[in-house]
Amino acid sequence: MSKNYVAVSRAIVDAIGGSENITAITHCMTRLRLVLKSDKPVDLARLKSIDGVLGVVKMDLQYQIIIGNTVSKVYEQVIKLLPEGAVQETQLIAKKSWSFRRVGSGILDALISTMSPLIPAIIGASMVKLLAMIFEMSGILTKSSSTFILLNVIGDGAIFLLTDYGCRLCCTEIQNQYVARHCYFRGVGASSIY
């Protein structure tokens, strides 16, 4: 990506119809998320051809501009281009019409945001359990050795806490206190059964 974040941000703002067309702006790990007033002034081909833009995802009036790990630097420069006192981060989803696609997209977004942080824990626990199994199968460790037991406890511990951590992430995503408490206690109960 081009290191000239000022030029990239200026090109993005110009391609979406100027700073006055931006209603809300935020970013995640790799994407610059913009909610626009209108998509009529947006030049999508020009936006996709900007050096540093890896892709564009459009959902109604929300544009997700895929930039990569340097998105925070581009975000800072775009913020500088906004008029003084403009709202930087707002709820990106305003009142919208109902559709099956939107409901499906919402469910998928909730699942992804809940499950994505769990992937490293699942992989780490699996690797520790695999290491214990390989050592035991190759004869390096016996099932009664303290190292084998320790590796199993570490691997099982991560799996044991996944339900609790998953429930906490789900509660954060739902943003409903009653459901959050119920979900949390069910997670604690499920993890204690394991």
Side-chain angles (χ1 to χ4, degrees):
M1 174 178 180
S2 170
K3 297 280 185 192
N4 190 352
Y5 303 114
V6 176
V8 171
S9 60
R10 168 51 64 196
I12 289 171
V13 170
D14 290 344
I16 62 166
S19 61
E20 61 278 351
N21 195 28
I22 298 174
T23 302
I25 180 171
T26 188
H27 69 89
C28 63
M29 293 296 288
T30 59
R31 296 179 182 201
L32 183 67
R33 297 172 187 261
L34 302 167
V35 177
L36 306 180
K37 292 177 184 170
S38 170
D39 60 354
K40 288 183 176 70
V42 176
D43 186 352
L44 198 56
R46 182 174 158 201
L47 187 59
K48 288 180 179 180
S49 68
I50 296 171
D51 182 34
V53 173
L54 304 174
V56 177
V57 178
K58 179 185 180 287
M59 293 170 45
D60 294 326
L61 291 176
Q62 184 182 133
Y63 282 76
Q64 298 178 10
I65 303 166
I66 305 166
I67 294 174
N69 294 335
T70 58
V71 69
S72 60
K73 294 176 182 168
V74 174
Y75 171 77
E76 290 170 9
Q77 295 304 319
V78 171
I79 293 298
K80 291 178 183 176
L81 297 172
L82 294 178
E84 207 47 50
V87 177
Q88 295 176 11
E89 294 185 29
T90 61
Q91 276 287 58
L92 290 181
I93 300 173
K95 246 184 181 177
K96 295 180 180 177
S97 60
W98 185 91
S99 71
F100 283 114
R101 182 177 183 186
R102 179 158 301 124
V103 171
S105 175
I107 291 170
L108 190 60
D109 284 346
L111 280 172
I112 289 169
S113 62
T114 302
M115 296 304 292
S116 294
L118 297 176
I119 292 171
I122 293 169
I123 292 172
S126 301
M127 295 305 287
V128 170
K129 294 286 282 181
L130 178 65
L131 186 65
M133 185 178 71
I134 289 172
F135 284 163
E136 193 266 326
M137 289 175 67
S138 65
I140 296 172
L141 297 174
T142 62
K143 285 191 176 184
S144 60
S145 73
S146 59
T147 306
F148 180 80
I149 293 169
L150 180 64
L151 288 173
N152 269 324
V153 167
I154 292 170
D156 287 342
I159 300 290
F160 178 79
L161 295 173
L162 278 179
T163 54
D164 181 47
Y165 188 54
C167 283
R168 288 174 189 251
L169 290 169
C170 181
C171 295
T172 304
E173 183 65 31
I174 292 172
Q175 296 176 350
N176 181 318
Q177 291 302 315
Y178 173 74
V179 175
R181 274 186 243 124
H182 181 69
C183 185
Y184 175 73
F185 289 123
R186 286 189 64 147
V188 169
S191 64
S192 9
I193 290 171
Y194 177 79

